[in-house]
Amino acid sequence: MTSISAVGHAELAAVPKAKSRNPSLDRARTFLTLVVLLHHAVIPYTYFGHTDPKSFFGFDMIVLATDSFFMAMFFFLSGLFVWPGIARKGPLNYLSDRLLRLGLPFVICAFTVIPLAYYAISLRHHPEIGFSDYWWNMVTKGPWPSGPIWFLWVLFAFDLVACLLYRLSPHLLDPINRLSLHGRRRPAVFFAVMLAVTGAFYVPGLMIYGPASWFEFGPFSVQHGRVMLYASYFFFGAGIGVAQMDRGLLAADGRMARVSWDWMVLAIVPYCLLWVLIFIKREILGNPSPLPNWYEALYAICFTVFSVAIMFLILAFFQRFRQSGSAKLLDPMQADAYGIFLVHYPIALWLQYWLFDYDLPAIVKAAIGFVLTVALSWALTRALRQIPGATRVL
């Protein structure tokens, strides 16, 4: 068997040549965007975020699953293209491009999209407040929630750290890349290492901060207990992308896609254990605050295993069925996925505001909200991308 260390520094450090996009990764990213929209469409009808008189337990199952992996996987996918991007453009030019792609949308959305979204919630409690007064109070007095756009500034911070590390040494992530090349034949080794590292970051974080603690400064926010988990996903992705991504863990002919059912088992078992722990918390422990350390540790371990396993399952699925017609259904949305992510939140919340007073089952409300959010967000993104220069950002 070829040793992991057999790949030389010169081969790894070579600037990657421009290649055609990997449709499997594009479809995975588009799929995650739809998962975000689904998450926001169903959360009002759950035990976790019960803001509507109607509820459905199946939505609790969806929210528990999606919240456990989708943002971490976004960071992983973003990290895949960091190292070759820095190598081609240089750190300063790369950061300049990322500032345009991430910083500008963050600022615009913080002043427009986010106030529009949360005004729909505010109207339920304070219908007498006009939007201009609400906007001014949010911006000047707070709180100024970030909604889903917190992802943008945190990703830019990780990009900044990556550029600093690259200046320090372009070879810092070579061990992860060698592990990826080894993972073409033995993906379980990469899985085990990634699980151990992400668990080492997340378990202490959850035990120290708990699940509800957030750093907040104006529109800048991030969950304390998860920020290092997200960083570990990002840099594992960056390590895979250092060089020869098409010959490593994510290779089209790699073993990862051929063991997709194994990833399913590895995802289902810890997911079921999460529900066992939730039952223990509610029915046996009586929802104490704070929760015992042993409980937080067990929950964090199950969370970590599920999160890594379901990411491997999704990646394996899109690799395995890359020629499938059903997978190709996501292709028309690929170019608009980022814009859909940016603009969907006020659309989702105003649809929920409109549906609130209708005596409809939770499933019907969520279905209407999801379908219309996808359609309207996609149409709005298509329109915005017609603006000259907008495609550089969206």
Side-chain angles (χ1 to χ4, degrees):
M1 180 179 67
T2 304
S3 170
I4 300 177
S5 61
V7 181
H9 280 305
E11 188 177 14
L12 286 177
V15 177
K17 298 179 181 179
K19 295 182 179 180
S20 59
R21 297 184 66 93
N22 184 328
S24 299
L25 297 178
D26 283 335
R27 290 164 189 163
R29 184 174 70 101
T30 305
F31 170 76
L32 283 184
T33 302
L34 292 176
V35 170
V36 171
L37 271 62
L38 177 64
H39 179 89
H40 289 146
V42 305
I43 201 167
Y45 315 108
T46 64
Y47 176 91
F48 295 102
H50 199 163
T51 57
D52 190 278
K54 303 293 184 177
S55 64
F56 173 58
F57 178 70
F59 293 153
D60 291 83
M61 299 177 69
I62 291 173
V63 169
L64 179 65
T66 54
D67 181 64
S68 302
F69 80 92
F70 64 163
M71 297 314 298
M73 188 171 175
F74 266 130
F75 283 111
F76 176 86
L77 292 175
S78 299
L80 290 171
F81 307 99
V82 170
W83 225 248
I86 299 173
R88 286 195 309 271
K89 302 176 182 179
L92 290 180
N93 287 334
Y94 179 79
L95 277 181
S96 177
D97 288 347
R98 299 306 280 167
L99 194 61
L100 179 66
R101 180 79 166 166
L102 299 173
L104 181 60
F106 178 82
V107 172
I108 293 174
C109 289
F111 283 95
T112 58
V113 169
I114 295 305
L116 280 171
Y118 282 95
Y119 183 55
I121 297 176
S122 176
L123 280 181
R124 282 290 163 198
H125 306 285
H126 307 285
E128 73 284 355
I129 297 180
F131 178 72
S132 59
D133 290 336
Y134 175 79
W135 184 92
W136 182 251
N137 288 333
M138 173 183 284
V139 173
T140 59
K141 299 178 182 179
W144 191 350
S146 62
I149 67 166
W150 65 265
F151 170 75
L152 303 182
W153 82 266
V154 176
L155 180 57
F156 181 78
F158 291 164
D159 285 330
L160 176 60
V161 173
C163 287
L164 295 174
L165 293 177
Y166 187 89
R167 288 293 298 269
L168 184 64
S169 172
H171 302 296
L172 278 177
L173 300 185
D174 286 4
I176 298 176
N177 194 267
R178 289 193 287 269
L179 187 65
S180 170
L181 295 174
H182 184 68
R184 180 178 184 173
R185 300 291 183 187
R186 299 188 62 190
V189 175
F190 193 99
F191 175 87
V193 173
M194 186 172 180
L195 179 61
V197 173
T198 55
F201 282 117
Y202 182 61
V203 175
L206 185 66
M207 293 178 67
I208 294 170
Y209 294 106
S213 176
W214 285 70
F215 163 80
E216 293 179 317
F217 180 75
F220 297 90
S221 62
V222 67
Q223 205 166 352
H224 280 122
R226 293 191 186 182
V227 63
M228 292 307 297
L229 173 75
Y230 297 145
S232 63
Y233 271 77
F234 176 83
F235 283 104
F236 266 104
I240 292 173
V242 163
Q244 306 184 87
M245 188 162 61
D246 57 340
R247 293 176 55 193
L249 179 74
L250 302 178
D253 60 346
R255 182 169 171 76
M256 179 179 176
R258 296 201 295 270
V259 293
S260 55
W261 299 114
D262 294 352
W263 308 129
M264 182 176 292
V265 173
L266 283 169
I268 290 175
V269 171
Y271 176 76
C272 292
L273 291 176
L274 287 174
W275 278 110
V276 171
L277 289 169
I278 291 172
F279 175 82
I280 291 173
K281 178 183 71 171
R282 294 178 186 172
E283 305 300 328
I284 298 177
L285 300 180
N287 278 321
S289 182
L291 287 159
N293 283 337
W294 64 265
Y295 180 93
E296 296 284 28
L298 286 176
Y299 192 94
I301 291 170
C302 293
F303 178 103
T304 307
V305 178
F306 173 74
S307 181
V308 179
I310 196 168
M311 185 183 77
F312 270 59
L313 174 63
I314 293 169
L315 292 171
F317 173 85
F318 284 108
Q319 287 284 69
R320 184 168 185 170
F321 299 105
R322 59 188 178 276
Q323 301 300 330
S324 168
S326 56
K328 292 179 181 179
L329 290 174
L330 295 171
D331 291 351
M333 192 179 288
Q334 185 270 318
D336 302 310
Y338 181 47
I340 291 171
F341 174 85
L342 292 177
V343 305
H344 82 278
Y345 202 47
I347 296 173
L349 266 58
W350 277 100
L351 286 170
Q352 290 159 16
Y353 175 86
W354 169 63
L355 289 165
F356 185 90
D357 293 322
Y358 286 88
D359 187 20
L360 297 171
I363 295 177
V364 175
K365 287 188 175 185
I368 294 172
F370 175 68
V371 171
L372 290 180
T373 299
V374 172
L376 296 174
S377 301
W378 195 1
L380 178 57
T381 300
R382 281 287 178 94
L384 291 172
R385 282 169 58 85
Q386 301 305 311
I387 300 172
T391 53
R392 295 187 59 194
V393 178
L394 298 177

